[in-house]
Every structure is written in C-alpha cells, then in structure tokens.
C-alpha cells in the first residue's frame, strides 16, 4: 500500500474493477517480508495475520511458500475482502478473511484461533492500497477526476467531501500541516473555505484546481504534483489512519507468541515514525544505566530484525514503482510484550 505515482488526470480512464486481483496488484518487497517472517511461520500449524490484506498479494505469496501456514487476513474495505477471497479461494480454509480495521487484531485472533491464542507472525503493509488508488471512483488519486470520497470502507463514515464541507479553517490547517506536512496549509485552507462558500467541493478535480491556485507558482514547478500532500492529509484524516496504527501496533505485539515476528512496511514519514518509536521502546531496557542485572520486568520485549529501515533497490522500484518510498522494519518478540514507555 502506498501513494500513487503521478499520472495525467483522466476521468475516462478504464476501471480495473473487472480484472482479477492477481493481475492488478504487485506486492511490495514480498520476498524480503517473507524472508524476515520465515523463521516464525514455516513450521506446522503456524498462523500469520496479514493485518492489511488489500488484494491479497502478500498473503498469496505466504500461502504458496509455506504449505502448512494459515493466514488471517484483515481489511476494512469490503471490496478488498471480496477480491482477495476470490484470489485465495484455492487455499481453502488456510485463508480466513476478517472485515475490520486492523486495530481489532486481538479480537480477530480471538475469534479465529480461540480466546487467549497467540499467532506466529503479523504483517502490516500500511497506507492506501492498489485497489483504492486504481479505482478512480474511490476518489483517492489526485491524478483522476472522481467523486471526492477517500473512505477505505465506503460503507461507513464521512467522506473527504463531507470533511471539506464541515471543517473549520483552523481544523483544515491542522490536518494539512500534521498529516501532509504542507507548508502552504493556511493558503490552501483559506481558499477551500472561500470556494465552498460559493459551491460544495465534491470532486477530486475541483480540489486539485483549488490547491494549484492556492500554492504560489514557483512552488508548483518542483516536487511533483502540488496536490499530493493535501490528498495524503485528507486521506489520513478521513480514515483515522495514524490513530488506528498507534492502537494496532501494541495489540499486534501482544497477539504474538514469544519468538513470533512483526514486519511492517510504511510509505510516509508519519507512519514510519510511529512504527520506529514503538519498536525502539520495545527493544530498549527500562533499567537505570549501569545496573549490573536487569530485572525481567525491565528487560526488552523485542529484538530488532532491521538496522534502520530497509528500502527497495533499483530493480524492485523498476519492477514496482510503488515501492519507491517503502520503509521496511521488523522485530522478534523475545518475551511477552510489555510496553516499557
């Protein structure tokens, strides 16, 4: 899951809706993710939670490589559940789909494996999915004119158009600065308010035009599409992505057996910062410096599997352009999870 590469905006682009998921989705860093998870999930009876199922590419790779593995796939998008379930039907009951946000991972594990059960691995591929980007009518892509929706679960909650219609100027500035790191947030928010007073902003093309007008011409000439940061910010706000991630990571670690592994792919700095912070805390001792013996309740819960964040090499980026911004981190649970912060 990641942000869309910039393309020409085209409202008439053919929808991919009828194509099988396997033809529409290339999973990012599949081999690297599975290599990192392998020591925990290659044995008999192993269970992996794919906490961000999407169109099922990572799950398919895992089920093919590890013939005794069962995967619980979680996604908030009903369309993704349907497409992935069709793609993975050949694996029978080795794949189990759960319609939920992934901060409900503990509940999903309890329902599928029994109360108090622990799993062997958790994979998170964060951000917006290929499915959501490629379907113009979902309203995620600034490169395609479409209804301004951006909901990962289009059956519930307010859309991006609803947010723009009701948020105050101050709230819009906060969203654009916090979630999009947009330095022209006040100018964009002010123009959005002015435009919506004339007529509701209901389409992505209208929002893109508003953003272009708000940003000074010299700033529009560099850094790609000037709408990218605003679209990211609105998407994060509409779907409450960072709050869900903050809740999900501790629950995922608490759902692992000792020896289990968590692997996370992030695509923007806000996500990666949250992941990095949780893994740093979990892999650090809470004991005072110089203490000769560290008590168990102050010892680290995690062993880091990556030094810094892994990145896609040039070959991967050429094969799958959406891997360009990925940051890959992993950790092994070495004792029952305890957040020592």
């Amino acid at each position: 899951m990641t942000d869309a590469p910039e393309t020409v905006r085209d409202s008439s682009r053919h929808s991919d809706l009828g194509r099988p998921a396997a033809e529409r989705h290339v999973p990012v860093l599949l081999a690297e993710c599975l290599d990192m998870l392998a020591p925990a999930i290659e044995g008999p009876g192993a269970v992996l939670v794919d906490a961000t199922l999407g169109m099922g590419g990572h799950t398919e790779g895992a089920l093919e490589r590890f013939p005794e593995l069962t995967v619980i796939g979680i996604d908030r998008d009903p369309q993704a559940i349907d497409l992935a379930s069709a793609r993975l039907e050949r694996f029978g009951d080795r794949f189990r789909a759960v319609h939920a946000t992934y901060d409900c991972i503990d509940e999903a594990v309890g329902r599928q494996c029994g109360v108090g059960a622990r799993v062997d691995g958790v994979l998170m591929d964060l951000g917006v999915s290929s499915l959501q980007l490629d379907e113009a009518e979902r309203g995620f892509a600034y490169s395609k004119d479409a209804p301004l929706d951006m909901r990962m679960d289009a059956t519930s909650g307010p859309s991006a158009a609803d947010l723009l219609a009701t948020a105050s100027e101050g709230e819009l500035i906060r969203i654009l600065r916090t979630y999009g790191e947009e330095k022209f947030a006040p100018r964009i928010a002010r123009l959005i308010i002015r435009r919506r007073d004339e007529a509701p902003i209901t389409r992505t093309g209208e929002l893109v035009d508003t953003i272009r007008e708000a940003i000074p011409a010299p700033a529009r000439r560099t850094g790609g599409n000037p709408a990218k940061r605003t679209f990211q910010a609105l998407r994060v706000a509409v779907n409450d992505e960072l709050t869900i991630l903050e809740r999900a990571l501790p629950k995922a670690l608490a759902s692992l057996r000792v020896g289990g592994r968590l692997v996370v792919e992030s695509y923007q700095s806000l996500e990666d910062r949250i992941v990095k912070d949780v893994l740093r805390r979990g892999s650090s001792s809470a004991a005072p410096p110089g203490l000769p013996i560290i008590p168990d309740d102050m010892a680290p819960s995690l062993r880091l599997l990556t030094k810094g964040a892994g990145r896609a090499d040039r070959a991967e980026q050429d094969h799958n352009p959406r891997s360009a911004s990925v940051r890959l981190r992993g950790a092994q649970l070495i004792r029952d999870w305890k957040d020592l912060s």
Side-chain angles (χ1 to χ4, degrees):
M1 299 183 181
T2 181
D3 288 334
E6 185 176 354
T7 56
V8 177
R9 191 164 82 229
D10 181 3
S11 62
S12 64
R13 176 175 169 168
H14 175 65
S15 171
D16 285 334
L17 189 58
R19 293 172 56 207
E23 296 179 11
R24 299 168 54 184
H25 174 233
V26 179
V28 172
L29 295 181
L30 175 61
E32 290 81 353
C33 290
L34 297 184
D35 287 347
M36 202 178 301
L37 288 164
I41 66 172
E42 58 191 353
V47 177
L48 170 70
V49 177
D50 185 344
T52 49
L53 177 65
M55 286 192 283
H58 285 94
T59 288
E60 182 179 51
L63 290 168
E64 287 177 341
R65 177 167 166 179
F66 305 108
E68 298 182 273
L69 178 68
T70 295
V71 178
I72 301 168
I74 301 173
D75 208 288
R76 70 198 297 182
D77 187 339
Q79 188 180 355
I81 292 284
D82 290 344
L83 283 167
S85 295
R87 178 179 191 168
L88 303 168
E89 184 178 13
R90 61 192 168 99
F91 297 102
D93 61 7
R94 292 177 59 210
F95 169 67
R96 307 171 189 176
V98 176
H99 178 216
T101 53
Y102 65 99
D103 57 339
C104 297
I105 184 171
D106 51 342
E107 299 172 21
V109 170
R111 288 198 303 269
Q112 296 295 325
C113 303
V115 177
R118 303 288 183 91
V119 298
D120 303 280
V122 175
L123 174 65
M124 296 180 179
D125 183 21
L126 304 177
V128 65
S129 73
S130 301
L131 165 64
Q132 291 151 354
L133 286 171
D134 292 342
E135 293 301 324
E137 62 269 22
R138 302 294 297 270
F140 284 92
Y142 48 77
S143 55
K144 309 164 192 174
D145 185 46
L148 190 55
D149 195 315
M150 296 193 191
R151 290 173 296 172
M152 291 179 177
D153 182 349
T155 66
S156 64
S159 68
D162 296 329
L163 176 60
L164 292 186
T166 57
S168 66
E169 183 175 331
E171 178 66 4
L172 287 173
I173 292 172
R174 184 194 68 80
I175 288 170
L176 299 185
R177 279 180 171 163
T178 303
Y179 300 146
E181 301 176 296
E182 174 56 76
K183 64 180 179 179
F184 296 110
R187 295 173 65 113
I188 295 170
R190 191 159 48 246
L191 189 54
I192 286 173
I193 298 294
R194 191 185 315 154
R195 287 280 178 87
R196 82 181 187 191
D197 286 345
E198 299 168 359
I201 300 173
T202 61
R203 299 193 64 84
T204 57
E206 296 168 349
L207 179 57
V208 169
D209 292 341
T210 301
I211 295 165
R212 287 186 183 278
E213 183 177 333
I215 294 178
R220 297 198 302 263
R221 300 190 189 109
T222 59
N225 193 307
K228 180 176 182 178
R229 290 179 295 275
T230 294
F231 269 63
Q232 172 183 295
L234 292 176
R235 187 201 83 214
V236 169
V238 165
N239 296 290
D240 202 18
E241 291 179 43
L242 299 185
T243 301
I244 289 174
L245 176 60
E246 288 172 340
R247 290 197 298 254
L249 287 167
K251 290 185 178 183
L253 290 165
S255 298
L256 286 173
R257 65 166 176 84
V258 173
R261 294 186 171 206
L262 169 70
V263 172
V264 185
E265 293 180 285
S266 307
Y267 296 88
Q268 44 108 334
S269 59
L270 298 174
E271 294 171 339
D272 187 56
R273 196 175 303 148
I274 293 170
V275 176
K276 179 181 178 181
D277 184 56
V278 170
L279 298 189
R280 177 192 58 78
R281 295 199 314 264
S283 60
S284 301
S285 168
L291 199 67
I293 299 177
I294 299 175
D296 284 347
D297 62 352
M298 292 184 175
S301 300
L302 301 176
R303 179 176 70 87
L304 299 184
L305 300 174
T306 51
K307 186 177 181 179
R311 306 298 296 263
D313 60 21
R314 176 53 57 187
E316 172 86 10
Q317 292 182 42
D318 289 344
H319 175 64
N320 187 0
R322 287 177 177 162
S323 68
S325 60
V326 71
R327 299 168 178 86
L328 176 66
R329 298 184 187 271
Q332 181 183 28
L333 193 73
I334 56 176
R335 55 177 44 84
D336 285 341
W337 171 249
K338 179 179 288 188
D339 191 337
L340 299 177
S341 60

